[in-house]
Amino acid sequence: MEQIKQKLLDAVSARKEEIVALAGDLVRFPSTKGNEAKAQSFYADKLRELGAQVESFEPDMAEMKKHPAFVTDRENFSGSPVVAGVLKGDGGGRSLILCGHMDVVDPGSGHWTNSPWDPVVKDGRLYGRGAVDMKGGVAAHYMAVKTIRQMGIKLKGDVKILSTIDEECSSSGILALIGRGYKADAAICTEPVGLKVTIATTGSTWFKIKVTGKSAHGGIAFAGVNALYKAIPIIERIQRLEEERRLRLYGTVPVYNGAPIAFCAGVNKIQGGTWPAIVPAEVVLEGRVGFSPLEKLEDVQKELEDAVYAVAKADPWLKDNPPVIEYYKSRWNSGCVEEDHSLVKTLQGAYTQASGKAGQIVGMFACSDSGTLIRFGDTPAIDFGPGPQSMAHQTDEYVDIDDLVKVARIIAVTILDWCGFTE
Ligand SMILES: [Zn+2]
């Protein structure tokens, strides 16, 4: 038993070049939002090479709109198919989802040393947009499965490899796959968490608050109502709300105890006014509320609304012209598993076997498909992938090649221990 795992670890290590090559091949596709089709088609073929039963489809907007967690600014999902590859086990084992997203954020306006779509290997790093977030993680878990297959090890439980879209701006891809029935006894998302065993992910919902005033010439400003001034107490209230929530939620999810604020809420964009000498009739505040793995989205939204409407009620103008709150464009779901969940234990066992010690258990401040798998997919999920985490979404993004190999090794043994196997 232990011998076969050691053989597997060695075999994965020997595939270092192949892991980097696959990650590089994926980086070459500029798979920003709406442009994932070519990368997904390439990856679907790779899954077929494994002998997986592959399904690929563009999410159906009408179907998606029925889901309470769905929010988007898309018209449709043209050019953004999801992909799933299923490797049936022999039976009698536990199933495992390996999840990654194929979408990447735009390269941005920073100056890249090399083209973001031209994978470059240098000093133990693979450079390119998506290298760490998260095509590197996708290549690592793919290669873990491929090595198991090529060694002829027979798994008892099913392995389901999911490649999602829209993770960077919402959760549509994973929601669509869950809707199609893709669930498992557990899931691992190989997001760039720097080899940390990430058992919790925060949620986040974007909001827009329209504050209405009354326009007037600046010389007779007393004839108008300045929407900007009316927005100030609302902004201050949201700032206080963040602090109230910090105090109330502290300690409820212990992996976040070390953070100054675990679930930030804030107004981060403001638009309003047309001219320095005209009293603005409208101001739009935009922001996000982060929420805990233990909170319900509806409750968090209600708390925000109550806070904003209480300000409005106390104001002679706003009580008759209340602000309008809207949730739009982006939403991610929070979720967590217990520290002693069998998936965490299994991964930690593999971690120890592969590297001599267990991994650090943490919660993440960013969002991941894992939250949606937990909340709506009935699938306990964690994040575990390469680093450095700080390079996600950055100019000259890179992934540490050693991390890719470590992730592939640890995932490979995790698959064996989780799904069960016969030699
Ligand atoms: Zn990511």
Side-chain angles (χ1 to χ4, degrees), residues 104-184:
V104 295
V105 295
D106 196 83
S109 54
H111 175 73
W112 286 69
T113 308
N114 302 290
S115 158
W117 315 118
D118 180 16
V120 171
V121 175
K122 202 177 164 219
D123 302 330
R125 297 166 173 177
L126 170 71
Y127 287 85
R129 170 56 86 229
V132 79
D133 189 12
M134 62 166 285
K135 291 170 170 175
V138 168
H141 70 235
Y142 176 91
M143 217 53 77
V145 177
K146 182 173 177 180
T147 311
I148 291 170
R149 301 285 285 178
Q150 293 204 332
M151 283 179 68
I153 301 170
K154 296 213 178 311
L155 296 174
K156 292 181 179 169
D158 301 347
V159 174
K160 304 177 185 186
I161 304 178
L162 307 184
S163 180
T164 70
I165 49 107
D166 250 13
E167 191 282 335
E168 294 293 2
C169 52
S170 212
S171 311
S172 322
I174 191 65
L175 271 179
L177 285 162
I178 290 168
R180 199 58 80 96
Y182 289 96
K183 296 177 181 184

Side-chain angles (χ1 to χ4, degrees), residues 101 103 133-134 167-168 191-192 367 393:
H101 61 84
D103 57 314
D133 189 12
M134 62 166 285
E167 191 282 335
E168 294 293 2
E191 287 276 8
C367 305
H393 303 195

Side-chain angles (χ1 to χ4, degrees), residues 318-335:
L318 289 177
K319 75 172 170 8
D320 297 325
N321 302 274
V324 178
I325 304 177
E326 185 196 336
Y327 303 98
Y328 77 113
K329 198 169 177 177
S330 292
R331 177 177 302 150
W332 294 266
N333 302 295
S334 58

